[in-house]
């Protein structure tokens, strides 16, 4: 008898009257809300408007769901289109089956459309939402727990997952909880991106690329532990090869981007001021800040310096006050004529 293990839920759906409340769907929805909430905070900290992340997410989330489902159906087509299978099941998203690779790829297309409509640079938006996406994946993986799916090899460790369902070819027993491993890994990835973004001031999509690369590292070893059916190429599961390819692309992007566009974007949304001075949204792109070029032009000039024509004149020897004529400016204020001064002096002597 096992003294400790992770129990599986007896069922993954509850009914509120005729309305089904599915644990898998709730995990996805909560994850989306967390990603948008955190993304909005990071976007505002970088100088963007509150609400922009949610507006773009209206495009990104539906595209991501479609992309995730398409990837799953294409890579596991035999579950829906082989003999004895019902192709209609391919549309039953609530039963599980969303490929993160397709979700990110097509979700990026939706985000690009939304970003263009808002006049927002997509790389800056991706950097803002990157850790939130990692946390959303961590929450979403618990949907697999509700469905009793995507577990690893059989084991007797104290944290083993107890599978009780025999549907879909499952064999009840104790298995590695790969859903939990990936959930914890995604939390670590999100924290890593937040730390690295503050420490190295990542910009131009490099925070998002770091999230992708770090996730792929964890997905590689977690995928290796899974025992559900999957296509294999040269002894490795298809998702392992995908993780390797995406990891290399993400690392290459970080290297090339850091050389071509170092630093971070000065302005992330039109009509908004520059970033704050706390390091989270400053312009550190290496170029002068707004107005710095004008200040540099004035550095060599004395304050209130006149024109070249006045350069040889003593200070204050410009035009006469009140717009008077030049010849009037040479006379002292309230000065009399020379003749008057001579006559007054002579009268005193006499």
């Amino acid at each position: 008898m096992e003294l400790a293990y992770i129990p599986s839920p007896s069922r993954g759906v509850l009914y509120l009257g005729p309305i089904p409340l599915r644990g898998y769907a709730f995990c996805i929805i909560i994850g989306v809300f967390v990603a948008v909430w955190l993304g909005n905070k990071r976007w505002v900290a970088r100088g963007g408007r509150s609400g922009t992340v949610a507006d773009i997410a209206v495009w990104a989330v539906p595209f991501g769901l479609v992309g995730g489902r398409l990837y799953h159906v294409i890579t596991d087509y035999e579950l829906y289109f082989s003999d004895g299978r019902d192709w209609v099941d391919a549309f039953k998203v609530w039963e599980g089956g969303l490929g993160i690779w397709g979700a990110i790829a097509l979700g990026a297309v939706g985000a690009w459309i939304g970003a263009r409509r808002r006049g927002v640079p997509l790389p800056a938006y991706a950097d803002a939402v990157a850790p939130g996406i990692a946390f959303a994946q961590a929450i979403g993986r618990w949907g697999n727990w509700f469905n009793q799916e995507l577990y690893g090899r059989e084991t007797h460790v104290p944290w083993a997952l107890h599978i009780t369902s025999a549907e879909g070819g499952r064999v009840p027993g104790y298995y590695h909880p790969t859903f939990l491993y990936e959930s914890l890994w995604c939390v670590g990835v999100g924290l890593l991106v937040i730390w690295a973004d503050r420490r190295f001031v990542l910009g131009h999509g490099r925070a998002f690329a770091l999230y992708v690369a770090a996730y792929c590292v964890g997905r590689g070893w977690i995928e290796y532990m899974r025992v559900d059916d999957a296509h294999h190429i040269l002894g490795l599961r298809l998702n392992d090869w995908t993780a390797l390819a995406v990891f290399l692309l993400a690392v290459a992007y970080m290297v090339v981007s850091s050389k071509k566009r170092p630093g971070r974007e000065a302005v992330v949304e039109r009509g908004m001021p520059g970033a704050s001075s706390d390091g989270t949204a400053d312009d550190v792109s290496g170029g002068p800040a707004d107005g710095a070029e004008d200040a540099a032009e004035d550095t060599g000039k004395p304050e209130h310096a006149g024109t070249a024509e006045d350069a040889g004149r003593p200070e204050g020897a410009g035009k006469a006050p009140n717009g008077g004529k030049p010849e009037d400016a040479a006379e002292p204020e309230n000065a009399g004529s020379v003749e008057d001064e001579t006559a007054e002096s002579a009268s005193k002597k006499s």
Side-chain angles (χ1 to χ4, degrees), residues 141-183:
R141 273 305 176 201
W142 284 86
N144 302 131
W145 176 69
F146 280 102
N147 287 353
Q148 297 197 37
E149 60 185 358
L150 302 186
Y151 44 86
R153 295 188 294 269
E154 189 173 5
T155 184
H156 296 287
V157 296
W159 56 88
L161 175 65
H162 186 197
I163 297 297
T164 59
S165 174
E167 297 180 2
R170 299 182 184 90
V171 178
Y174 298 90
Y175 301 90
H176 276 289
T178 51
F179 84 92
L180 178 60
Y181 298 160
E182 186 167 339
S183 179

Side-chain angles (χ1 to χ4, degrees), residues 27-211:
C27 291
I28 299 297
I29 293 171
I30 294 172
V32 170
F33 273 102
V34 169
V36 172
W37 170 78
L38 181 58
N40 183 72
K41 288 179 65 69
R42 287 171 53 82
W43 184 254
V44 172
R46 291 194 58 179
R49 290 185 178 88
S50 178
T52 296
V53 169
D55 290 344
I56 297 177
V58 170
W59 290 88
V61 172
F63 273 72
L65 291 174
V66 173
R69 189 60 177 178
L70 279 175
Y71 181 89
H72 168 73
V73 171
I74 292 173
T75 55
D76 291 309
Y77 62 88
E78 66 278 358
L79 298 177
Y80 307 100
F81 302 104
S82 60
D83 293 338
R85 299 286 185 170
D86 187 358
W87 63 270
V88 177
D89 292 341
F91 297 95
K92 297 179 179 179
V93 180
W94 55 87
E95 294 183 353
L98 291 175
I100 186 60
W101 316 112
I104 294 297
L106 207 56
V109 175
W112 175 76
I113 295 173
R116 279 184 61 88
R117 292 171 62 89
R118 289 298 297 258
V120 166
L122 180 60
Y125 177 83
D127 285 341
V129 301
I133 294 176
F135 294 142
Q137 288 179 250
I139 297 170
R141 273 305 176 201
W142 284 86
N144 302 131
W145 176 69
F146 280 102
N147 287 353
Q148 297 197 37
E149 60 185 358
L150 302 186
Y151 44 86
R153 295 188 294 269
E154 189 173 5
T155 184
H156 296 287
V157 296
W159 56 88
L161 175 65
H162 186 197
I163 297 297
T164 59
S165 174
E167 297 180 2
R170 299 182 184 90
V171 178
Y174 298 90
Y175 301 90
H176 276 289
T178 51
F179 84 92
L180 178 60
Y181 298 160
E182 186 167 339
S183 179
L184 295 176
W185 183 268
C186 287
V187 171
V189 170
L191 295 176
L192 171 66
V193 174
I194 292 174
W195 171 82
D197 196 22
R198 291 176 177 176
R199 175 65 177 83
F200 303 105
V201 195
L202 303 176
H204 301 286
R206 288 187 289 277
F208 184 82
L210 175 61
Y211 144 72

Side-chain angles (χ1 to χ4, degrees), residues 279-300:
T280 59
D282 285 340
D283 175 20
V284 291
S285 59
D290 292 343
E293 294 180 354
D294 297 335
E297 293 177 359
D298 297 335
T299 302

